[in-house]
Amino acid sequence: MTHADEMLTHAGAHAEELAAPGLSPRPQRKVAVLACMDTRIDLFPMLGLERGDAHIIRNAGGLVTDDALRSLSVSQRLLGTEEVVVVMHDGCGLHRASEDQFTETLAADGVLPGWRLGAFDDVEAALRQGLERLRASRELPAREHIRGFVFNPENGTLREVSGGDG
Ligand SMILES: [Zn+2]
């Protein structure tokens, strides 16, 4: 059995608790969270979120990529969110990864993608850069409340990266 088979069976046995009849697709807390896909980041208990509260957008690094912007733009323009929280973390797979080596392995397979790995040397600097990009993105009509946090999976702490609000 593959994991997909197990997942399908699991979901089938829990339909009653998975159902959300009448729950609005518009995030009740009007917030979108962009976070790294890292397995150790459990956003719901970390941020005190419940289902229906927030949009959750995840990618490698929690980076402000074109596609993250696309999702955030939909979140604000079509579904009414007004606040963005970005969560990156210590010990990220992109930290000190080799952009060149990654590109070479892709090239060896004949692939020259239009995107970059997004490796970084300093998580806080990378986060600040992301926040700056968000604050300059007119795809987002609401840019007053954009904040960035770094999670430490070893001790469970979440710290804000200055740059603060606005
Ligand atoms: Zn990560």
Side-chain angles (χ1 to χ4, degrees):
M1 233 167 70
T2 62
H3 288 293
D5 290 321
E6 288 172 16
M7 289 168 180
L8 192 59
T9 302
H10 180 88
H14 295 82
E16 207 169 308
E17 61 197 85
L18 291 171
L23 184 62
S24 171
R26 298 174 74 84
Q28 280 169 25
R29 289 171 67 173
K30 297 189 176 184
V31 60
V33 179
L34 169 62
C36 183
M37 65 187 188
D38 192 281
T39 57
R40 297 164 295 179
I41 300 175
D42 196 353
L43 289 169
F44 284 79
M46 179 191 293
L47 303 177
L49 293 172
E50 301 288 340
R51 185 153 58 141
D53 277 351
H55 279 143
I56 308 291
I57 300 150
R58 300 190 74 163
N59 64 25
L63 301 182
V64 181
T65 59
D66 288 352
D67 195 64
L69 267 178
R70 181 185 68 88
S71 296
L72 289 169
S73 187
V74 169
S75 177
Q76 290 199 355
R77 289 179 182 270
L78 301 185
L79 292 160
T81 64
E82 298 170 344
E83 190 172 340
V84 182
V85 171
V86 182
V87 180
M88 293 180 70
H89 67 102
D90 293 321
C92 188
L94 292 183
H95 187 223
R96 303 212 170 100
S98 168
E99 196 77 46
D100 291 345
Q101 214 170 57
F102 194 77
T103 303
E104 280 166 26
T105 62
L106 286 167
D109 285 333
V111 188
L112 295 168
W115 43 265
R116 306 259 300 157
L117 173 62
F120 52 81
D121 289 328
D122 178 338
V123 66
E124 302 196 357
L127 178 51
R128 265 188 222 103
Q129 204 173 35
L131 297 174
E132 276 167 28
R133 181 170 179 194
L134 288 175
R135 288 175 185 141
S137 296
R138 278 186 248 181
E139 294 93 321
L140 310 180
R143 283 171 283 148
E144 280 184 28
H145 303 291
I146 296 174
R147 306 271 292 273
F149 306 140
V150 174
F151 176 64
N152 180 328
E154 297 304 317
N155 63 21
T157 57
L158 189 66
R159 62 185 187 273
E160 177 152 23
V161 162
S162 64
D165 223 6

